[in-house]
Amino acid sequence: MGNAFRLNAAVSVELVVLTLGTRTIPNDTLCALLVQRLYAPFRGRWALPGGFVEPDESLSGAAVRALREETNIRADRIHLEQLATYGEPGRDSRGRVIGVAYLALIPNLPAPSAGSEVSAAAIWSVEQVLADRGRLAFDHHRILTDGVERARAKLEYSPLATAFCGREFTVADLRRVYEVVWGTDIDPRNFHRKVTTTPGFVEATGRSTSRDGGRPARLYRAGPARALHPPMMRPS
């Protein structure tokens, strides 16, 4: 191509930030962080946090900056992982934009507040958002759908679910995390057997609790495992 070569695309980042519940939403609800757009295109529509990558910053740096600028949530210590890249022509009316999406799963997401680039920032029920394909701007419905599916898959092969429990928890507490993220009921006995026999998944504390008013339940803490062998497969 020689001298005919020219740059013809901008690069953006989008963040799928998931948590379980908020101060106003029950903790048995899978939620996502959204912002309301202040400018065209899609002015007034809700969207995932994000923005264009500046010339002097990395992709991950742009993601951290965009989250802070739009929601006032600092992502310096939040684990962000790349989810996927989206580059279909026409996904942005302003021109060709290649979007790199990041996924973050945060047990205790701070309350967001709108930055100068958005009208509002809020935490929404994922089920509510995905039920309306036209609620989100751009192709963010697809990106959020992909992010939720990645989160569900991570619960199969990693002990991530323990991060959404307290320092000590019952197997029922852990099962509820799986049920919320997977969106399905799980057989309690099979789940208990899998959790307590998977090496390094959880460790017994030697204590129990009767906080639910029933029979005392054993308390566990997260084990040292970084991957689950065998994995916790979703009910078919």
Side-chain angles (χ1 to χ4, degrees), residues 218-231:
R218 293 181 178 180
L219 287 169
Y220 295 84
R221 56 176 168 259
R226 292 294 177 265
L228 301 182
H229 302 288

Side-chain angles (χ1 to χ4, degrees), residues 184-221:
T184 186
D185 293 331
I186 299 174
D187 180 77
R189 291 187 178 183
N190 286 340
F191 183 81
H192 190 284
R193 176 180 54 80
K194 291 178 181 179
V195 167
T196 55
T197 59
T198 299
F201 192 1
V202 298
E203 296 177 339
T205 66
R207 292 183 291 276
S208 61
T209 179
S210 302
R211 63 174 179 265
D212 295 327
R215 296 172 56 186
R218 293 181 178 180
L219 287 169
Y220 295 84
R221 56 176 168 259

Side-chain angles (χ1 to χ4, degrees), residues 184 233-236:
T184 186
M233 302 304 295
R234 275 175 277 183
S236 58

